[in-house]
Each structure stands twice: as C-alpha cells, then as structure tokens.
Amino acid sequence: MSFLQDDSLPLLKVRWYSFKEPHKSSQSGIPDIPHRGSIVRFCESDTIALEKAYRADRDAIDAVWWEEEAYVHSIKSSKSSDVASPSKSGGGIAAVDGLADTPPESPMKGLQEQGSASWVDFIGSPTKEMASQKNETLGVLVRGRMFEVDLKRRMMQPCYWPGARHRVLRGTWFVEKQGDYVPVREMIAEKLEQAFLSRAWDPSKGLLKMQRDGRHAARIELTSHQGAVVMYALFYSGYEVYIVWDTSFAWIKKKFSKSGGENRLSLRRGYTEPPTPSALQKEADLAQEKEDEEVATSPTPQSLILAIHGIGQNLSGANIAQDALEMKKALRKVVAKTDKDEDGVQQRIEVLPVQWRKTLNLEIDSLAASLMPPGIPSLRHMLHSTAVEVLFYLTPMHRAAILDSVVNSMNVVYRKFLSRNPEFQGRVSIFAHSLGSVLCWDVLCNQEGGLDMHGSETAGTAWAPNVIDIGKLDFEVDKFIIAGSPLGCFLSLRGVNQSVGTGLGTPSSAALMHCNPNRPGSQDGLPKVNRMYNIFHPYDPVAYRLEPLAYSQEALEGHKQALVELVGGGRRIHIAAQELGDNVSMAASRFGSSIAGAFTFSRKSKEEPSSGDAEEHMSVPEERAKEAGTPGKTSDARQSKPSEGKSLSRVDANSSIARITGGLLPAEGGRPTRAEGRMDFALQEASLEHQYLAALSAHFMYWNSPDVALFVHRAIHNLDVISGEPLVEEEEDDECIT
C-alpha cells in the first residue's frame, strides 16, 4: 500500500493484529515470530482505520516505535551492537546504531503494569479530570469503538474503564508455520520489505551468492547476537523467500540435512485470507468481527445508557464493566430478533459502565481489616463489601462523598464518550442496579431546573440533617430504569407514605427528597427524567415496589401486577393458567350478576308501582347508566360524595406521577396491556423455579436477561414496554383514577 515504488511490484496488503495476553512492562518486546494462538486479527474496518491513522502521522509514529526497538535490543544484548534499521524515503525509519553500554530509559515507562490501572486514576477528581480531559490524546477506536490504540506505542486499551493493555502488530510479511501464516515482528518485516523493494534478488545488484542447497539467492541479515547472525532471509526471487536461523542443534543437521543446519520457513509478502474455514477460525474471532463491522457502518450511537452498579464491587468477582458488556450483548441479540423494518430498531445503543465505589477513598475500608475479629475472614469481607455499603450511605459522614462520586463518575464517562463521538445527538438514559438506583434517585431529584408544579416551601430534610450540595450532571436524563432496587424501602424509611398524605409526588414528600434546602431540585420530589421504570424479579430479596407509595390502596384495587414481556411473547405456563382461571371466574360472576339483576327487574315490573316507589324502580337503569359512564339522575348529596374524598394535593400528586409514568393510572383493572401509569414491572419467573433457590441468583440476573434487554430496548426507543407499540405524544384522555 504505502511501499509501492515500482509499478511492476505488487501492492502490499496490510493486516493489523492484537495479542490476546495482556502486556507486562517486564516483557521485552514482541517475539520475532508470534505463535498463531497468541494473536487475533482486527476486522477489516478496524484495519483500515489503523492503517489510515498510521500513514497520516508515520514519521512521528515510527520515531517512537523504533526508540522502543532500540531499547528492547539493548536489553537483549550483553554489549553494544549495530542494529541496521532500513531507511525509507520519506518513511522516517532511521538506522539504530551505536547503542550506549547503559541501556536507555524505556519509552514505555509511562505505561502501567497489567491490572495496575485503577478506577481512581481513571476517573480522578472533578478538577483533575477536567484538566486532563483537555489534554487527552485519543487513539484509534477499534473493537466496536470500545477500545483505542496508541500507534506510537503499539498498545490497545479500553476507552471507558481501566483494564489491561494489549500489544498490537502491523502485519506486512508472514511466515508459514505448519500450514498457517503468521505475521513476523515489524522490525524484521521492515528489513524484508526494504530488500523486496530494492529487488535484492536481481543479479545486477550483486547480492546473489551460492547457498548450501546449490542455488543462488540474496542473503539479508535480520537479527544478530554478539556479532553472530542468528536470523536471515534468502531471496531466490520476489515470490520465493525464506526466513532462516541457526539453532544449537545445527551441528547435527549439518550431517543429516541438505540445508546444512538451517531452519527455514517460507515467507509471503502481504496478507491473504486463509483458504479454509478452520484456518480462518485460528486467526480471527468471527463473531466479534461481525459485531465490529456492524458498529463501523454506524459509528455514532443514537442512544447512550449509563450502567450504575450497586453493592459488592469490592468483591473479586464483581465487575460493572463486564456487566455493561453483558447487557450490550443481550441488547444486540434482541435487536437481531426484532422486526428490522420497524422504526427505530436499527438505532445503535451504547452501554457504558459507571464505577462509583472504587473511586471512593473511605477511611473505614482500611480500618475494617483491623476491626474484624479472627475467623471466617471470607464471610466478613463479603459482608463488609455488600451490606455494610448500605450503612455507609445511611451515615451522613459518608453520604456526601458517595453522591459526589456518583455524579463525577457519570460525568467523566459521558465526557469521554462525547470526545470519541463528537457527532452524538441522542438521548442519555440510566440503568441503575440495587443500591445504585437509590443513589441515582437522590442525584436526579436534586438537579436544578426541576418542574415547579406546586410552589411549596422547601423545608430542611429530616433524612439528611447535613446539607449536601449534589453536583450537576452534564446531560439530561431521558429514561431512568432501575432493577433489583431497594428504593421503595429507603423512601418509606424517609417518611414517604401514601396513607398519611406524603406519597410520591406530593408537596409534603418533595421536602423529603431534597439534600440542600437552599438549592432545591424538582419541586414535585420526583427525579428529573422523562420516564421511570422499576424492574424486579419476584424472588429478588432486595427488590421493592414503588406503586404503593404513589397510589392509594383504593386506586390500586383490581389492578394486577404489570409484567415484563418475554422475548418470544406470551406468558409462562403457570401465569397463563392463572389468568385463564381468573378470567373464567370473572365471566361466571358477571353472568350470575346479570341473571340475578334481570330476574329482580322482571319480578318488580309485574307490580303496579306507586308514586312513592317510582324513584326506586328507576334506580336499576340509573345504576347501569352509571357503570357505562352516563350520568343518571342522582341526588345532589350523592353527586358531591366522591369529590369530598379528594384533596387538591392528591390530584396534584397523580399529575406529578404521570410525568414519570407516561400517564395516569387507568380506571379499568386487571392485567395491563399498556404501561401508562405503571411504575413496577415484574419479570415472569420460570414455571418450575424454586423460590428459595432462585433467590440466590435473582438479584444479579438483570444484566444478561433477554427479557430485561427487550424491556430496555423498547423503553429507549420510545415504545410501550408492554405492547411494543410506538408511544404517541398526544393521546386521547382516558378515564383515569385520581
């Protein structure tokens, strides 16, 4: 590609690779010939992006890269030796010679060890992060735009979480090993390419010499050790090239081999697709490449989801970055199964992890080890990393630090996302799990610019005696989805209670949500979002409902629990059987009531009514008219009776709840077919699932659940989460319970 100097020479096809194993600073460079199983290629789009960026700044990239090659050589050599690097016209690869006896400082010194990059360093404090954000050097985005490559150091690392770094390799020359072609080290490839472009096999160059096999070939030295040539190439022609090196067993081969002690392998210039599927699978992750290519076709996501973790992130097996990837995979599978002609389903959703726990520097963490008595250390550590974190948040001393960490972490991830996706114009949503949902609730309820629906006073908060100044998010939140959330329990502890007039959305409950009376957030005490959903598994011991805090017991009477739809549609067998039984029972009850009413009416119609009984005879049709929604002739006292039970705050509260539930609670009961007015959505448990056994894993199953992914997919794309129908901004007002 870039090496073309002669029209008669073939074009060079480049392929980029990454090493599977994380890089350690103690490693000395890249092997001359990597093992096939140690590397995996990038997809075609990523290779083009890497090669394009490489060509755009080739001089600066090569200067840093060859400094490291010199350092690696100085480590391997016991004394100074000349390493002839091929010079290229305009290419910027100069000869590296005259190395000092003292090895130079490694250009990779700034890079950290495998796994040493922490969330504290990655997120940083708000001030440090803002300053570093301006000077951040962005790499080439690869692997679904979740990783980036620093070409100067040939390193790949995650974009949105701290993780291990992996070496990348630019493959131009390939050696055959047991039928498979693998790329050689770049320093060797450059020397081979220089010899190829100079036509070293041409007799006019004067490089041809008789080899041990009786044929003439140009010999190009590749590597040496203490003055002795270890590896060299033989150019018989432009299409017949071998790489040769001597081994400690050369003296044996000199007697029994025609090659005279040489180990030689065939070389090939440029990348060629493996001819067989089995060979292709050895060098490529085909499933990952397919996903990466799809992302490359639509590089800018239309929606962003920030995944907020709950308790337990200090446990060894907990990783919010892995949870976010699991949700992203589940969403991709859901999109593949949905109707691709439907509006919006092809919009790409990005899911990014937000880590708030590991960025905290709490004194109790270091003190806990000395406070714990001896015995059952694993169990004590598990309890300290899970249940004790709830106590941290209930402690005024730590609450401010936790909320500050949540806001700062979300803003950092959002800024990193914008810097890598400057054309993003979509909406941002939050998916919060467990305790993270409580933290996000408090953050969103204390954002400036909330709706002023009541104009009520903002008294001090009883649950937060110390004033907490919660930072501002850099983005507006569209959907707020919580899963396995104890939020209902936390709110009830603060005094939210529908029966005493402090239900969700009332002026009285708004004061319970504000952390800073001098800077109140939403005046209705609800989060500043467009829509909120609460997902829970029936056997999740941590999850709580929210609807009893928002609606009265009378309003919820007759309304069945809203269900999360299955990916395949329909109901679980036991749920379908139960609903069938309920429907038959209700139908029989209505039939019996209609027969009894008709018999009573027929019996009374045979009697001659007196003038005093006229109103009584008219009561039956009036009652039927009332059930149908048609006003009948009732007394003034009966008309005023329903309104006496309603207070202005109750009506306003329902209007506030409608802001985050998509509408008022419908008047008709039963199992809902649409999600208007509903906050709680239950997953359908398996028919033969044991309650107590399922409870062990129910709290952690939301991330990779296909049903949850379908729910999130519909919510993000403004579809009704139950029916899947597009939501209409202006709909006819249905009769609702207020």
Side-chain angles (χ1 to χ4, degrees):
M1 294 163 75
S2 67
F3 295 102
L4 188 60
Q5 296 181 352
D6 192 330
D7 294 338
S8 62
L9 295 177
L11 195 68
L12 176 63
K13 186 175 182 181
V14 179
R15 192 80 189 203
W16 286 78
Y17 296 80
S18 68
F19 282 81
K20 296 180 180 180
E21 291 296 325
H23 174 76
K24 299 179 181 179
S25 59
S26 58
Q27 291 177 342
S28 57
I30 297 175
D32 292 335
I33 303 178
H35 187 271
R36 162 56 67 205
S38 65
I39 58 175
V40 60
R41 73 180 188 183
F42 288 98
C43 71
E44 185 70 23
S45 297
D46 289 348
T47 290
I48 294 175
L50 289 168
E51 187 64 19
K52 183 178 179 180
Y54 172 77
R55 295 169 186 277
D57 195 18
R58 186 169 182 174
D59 290 345
I61 292 174
D62 283 343
V64 176
W65 177 240
W66 287 105
E67 286 180 9
E68 184 185 353
E69 288 292 332
Y71 171 78
V72 171
H73 180 81
S74 67
I75 296 298
K76 291 183 176 181
S77 299
S78 60
K79 62 180 181 179
S80 126
S81 61
D82 293 337
V83 180
S85 295
S87 59
K88 298 181 293 186
S89 58
I93 296 183
V96 181
D97 53 8
L99 295 177
D101 293 335
T102 301
E105 186 179 63
S106 171
M108 308 297 290
K109 185 177 181 180
L111 293 180
Q112 297 175 335
E113 285 275 5
Q114 170 195 358
S116 63
S118 66
W119 279 100
V120 176
D121 298 329
F122 184 80
I123 297 296
S125 64
T127 304
K128 292 182 179 179
E129 196 281 328
M130 288 293 292
S132 62
Q133 189 73 23
K134 299 179 181 178
N135 301 325
E136 184 180 15
T137 302
L138 304 182
V140 182
L141 298 178
V142 295
R143 298 279 160 81
R145 302 177 69 85
M146 301 298 287
F147 294 81
E148 57 187 351
V149 174
D150 182 357
L151 288 175
K152 292 182 178 180
R153 292 175 171 83
R154 300 296 201 275
M155 285 289 181
M156 179 181 69
Q157 63 184 1
C159 297
Y160 304 107
W161 64 89
R165 295 167 174 84
H166 297 257
R167 281 285 197 183
V168 298
L169 172 64
R170 184 172 180 263
T172 56
W173 280 80
F174 299 80
V175 61
E176 183 183 13
K177 295 179 65 176
Q178 298 178 353
D180 299 326
Y181 281 90
V182 295
V184 299
R185 184 180 175 186
E186 289 187 49
M187 183 183 69
I188 296 176
E190 294 291 346
K191 294 180 180 180
L192 292 171
E193 184 65 17
Q194 185 65 22
F196 179 84
L197 294 178
S198 64
R199 295 177 176 269
W201 64 89
D202 192 330
S204 62
K205 303 295 182 180
L207 299 177
L208 295 181
K209 294 181 180 179
M210 180 70 68
Q211 302 301 318
R212 294 173 180 175
D213 59 358
R215 303 169 60 194
H216 288 82
R219 174 169 166 163
I220 307 298
E221 296 182 2
L222 300 177
T223 62
S224 61
H225 179 66
Q226 297 183 359
V229 177
V230 177
M231 182 182 298
Y232 57 91
L234 295 178
F235 278 82
Y236 290 92
S237 68
Y239 300 96
E240 186 180 0
V241 187
Y242 297 93
I243 189 170
V244 185
W245 66 93
D246 291 325
T247 68
S248 59
F249 299 99
W251 65 274
I252 298 179
K253 290 195 174 185
K254 286 181 180 179
K255 296 183 177 181
F256 301 100
S257 174
K258 293 183 179 180
S259 61
E262 295 176 343
N263 283 332
R264 62 167 62 188
L265 296 175
S266 176
L267 284 169
R268 184 183 66 194
R269 179 178 182 267
Y271 176 77
T272 302
E273 191 84 5
T276 62
S278 59
L280 181 60
Q281 291 177 358
K282 291 181 180 179
E283 75 166 31
D285 186 343
L286 299 180
Q288 183 64 46
E289 282 193 11
K290 182 180 179 181
E291 295 180 5
D292 296 344
E293 289 291 353
E294 291 177 358
V295 172
T297 58
S298 56
T300 303
Q302 284 71 37
S303 300
L304 171 64
I305 299 178
L306 298 181
I308 318 296
H309 67 81
I311 60 176
Q313 282 297 300
N314 280 338
L315 296 176
S316 58
N319 189 346
I320 182 59
Q322 184 62 36
D323 293 335
L325 292 177
E326 291 292 335
M327 172 169 282
K328 186 176 180 180
K329 291 180 180 179
L331 283 169
R332 291 182 60 86
K333 293 179 180 179
V334 167
V335 172
K337 294 180 180 180
T338 55
D339 185 6
K340 295 186 179 181
D341 294 329
E342 186 178 358
D343 294 338
V345 297
Q346 287 300 304
Q347 296 181 355
R348 189 164 71 86
I349 303 175
E350 191 62 84
V351 184
L352 300 181
V354 175
Q355 173 63 256
W356 56 264
R357 180 61 179 92
K358 292 185 178 180
T359 61
L360 287 173
N361 185 16
L362 300 180
E363 184 178 355
I364 187 62
D365 287 337
S366 58
L367 189 60
S370 60
L371 294 176
M372 294 179 183
I376 57 171
S378 299
L379 180 58
R380 294 185 187 278
H381 175 68
M382 183 191 67
L383 291 176
H384 177 78
S385 300
T386 53
V388 177
E389 292 183 353
V390 178
L391 301 180
F392 288 166
Y393 189 64
L394 295 177
T395 305
M397 177 180 178
H398 298 124
R399 186 180 300 119
I402 292 176
L403 291 176
D404 182 67
S405 177
V406 172
V407 174
N408 183 44
S409 298
M410 285 196 287
N411 286 338
V412 168
V413 174
Y414 178 69
R415 295 186 198 119
K416 288 181 177 292
F417 174 77
L418 281 188
S419 64
R420 291 160 177 81
N421 298 273
E423 299 179 356
F424 177 74
Q425 298 293 333
R427 297 181 178 182
V428 182
S429 299
I430 291 178
F431 184 93
H433 178 245
S434 190
L435 180 63
S437 63
V438 181
L439 309 183
C440 291
W441 170 278
D442 289 334
V443 169
L444 295 172
C445 288
N446 287 271
Q447 293 298 299
E448 295 180 353
L451 298 179
D452 188 1
M453 302 185 65
H454 307 294
S456 63
E457 70 282 355
T458 56
T461 57
W463 76 276
N466 297 333
V467 175
I468 300 176
D469 191 9
I470 297 180
K472 185 179 183 301
L473 294 176
D474 294 343
F475 52 89
E476 299 290 333
V477 178
D478 181 28
K479 305 297 189 306
F480 180 35
I481 306 173
I482 61 179
S485 171
L487 178 61
C489 179
F490 275 75
L491 295 180
S492 63
L493 292 176
R494 296 179 188 178
V496 178
N497 191 337
Q498 178 64 230
S499 62
V500 298
T502 57
L504 286 180
T506 61
S508 301
S509 69
L512 302 175
M513 307 303 168
H514 297 156
C515 297
N516 187 351
N518 300 323
R519 200 189 69 177
S522 57
Q523 297 301 317
D524 55 7
L526 298 175
K528 187 184 176 185
V529 298
N530 293 330
R531 186 71 163 91
M532 180 177 176
Y533 304 92
N534 178 31
I535 306 174
F536 63 90
H537 191 283
Y539 303 150
D540 185 350
V542 181
Y544 284 79
R545 298 177 61 207
L546 292 176
E547 290 177 357
L549 299 179
Y551 300 113
S552 64
Q553 185 176 358
E554 294 79 10
L556 291 175
E557 186 176 359
H559 287 79
K560 292 185 177 182
Q561 176 62 58
L563 298 178
V564 175
E565 295 297 304
L566 301 177
V567 172
R571 294 281 188 269
R572 301 286 189 188
I573 295 178
H574 65 288
I575 297 178
Q578 182 181 3
E579 290 183 348
L580 178 61
D582 293 342
N583 293 335
V584 171
S585 177
M586 292 177 60
S589 178
R590 286 195 300 267
F591 179 75
S593 299
S594 62
I595 293 297
F599 177 77
T600 302
F601 177 76
S602 177
R603 182 166 58 93
K604 288 185 177 182
S605 64
K606 295 180 180 180
E607 302 176 0
E608 184 67 23
S610 61
S611 58
D613 298 331
E615 291 185 1
E616 183 179 356
H617 292 160
M618 292 294 293
S619 62
V620 173
E622 284 178 357
E623 287 295 325
R624 292 180 178 176
K626 182 179 179 181
E627 293 178 358
T630 305
K633 297 179 180 180
T634 57
S635 63
D636 294 339
R638 182 170 296 181
Q639 289 179 355
S640 62
K641 186 176 182 180
S643 62
E644 292 175 357
K646 294 181 181 180
S647 64
L648 180 60
S649 62
R650 179 68 55 83
V651 176
D652 290 344
N654 287 335
S655 300
S656 300
I657 292 297
R659 177 174 68 83
I660 63 172
T661 60
L664 297 175
L665 187 67
E668 63 275 6
R671 188 79 70 187
T673 57
R674 293 184 65 86
E676 283 88 350
R678 305 308 295 261
M679 300 178 67
D680 301 329
F681 300 86
L683 289 163
Q684 301 183 43
E685 70 276 14
S687 301
L688 301 178
E689 196 170 21
H690 191 278
Q691 295 186 14
Y692 292 98
L693 292 179
L696 299 176
S697 59
H699 186 60
F700 303 100
M701 52 78 60
Y702 302 98
W703 298 107
N704 56 5
S705 169
D707 299 332
V708 173
L710 175 63
F711 186 98
V712 172
H713 176 265
R714 288 179 174 179
I716 297 301
H717 290 103
N718 290 323
L719 304 176
D720 188 273
V721 294
I722 296 179
S723 65
E725 299 175 356
L727 296 178
V728 182
E729 295 183 0
E730 296 181 3
E731 296 181 347
E732 297 182 359
D733 294 333
D734 298 330
E735 183 183 2
C736 301
I737 294 178
T738 59

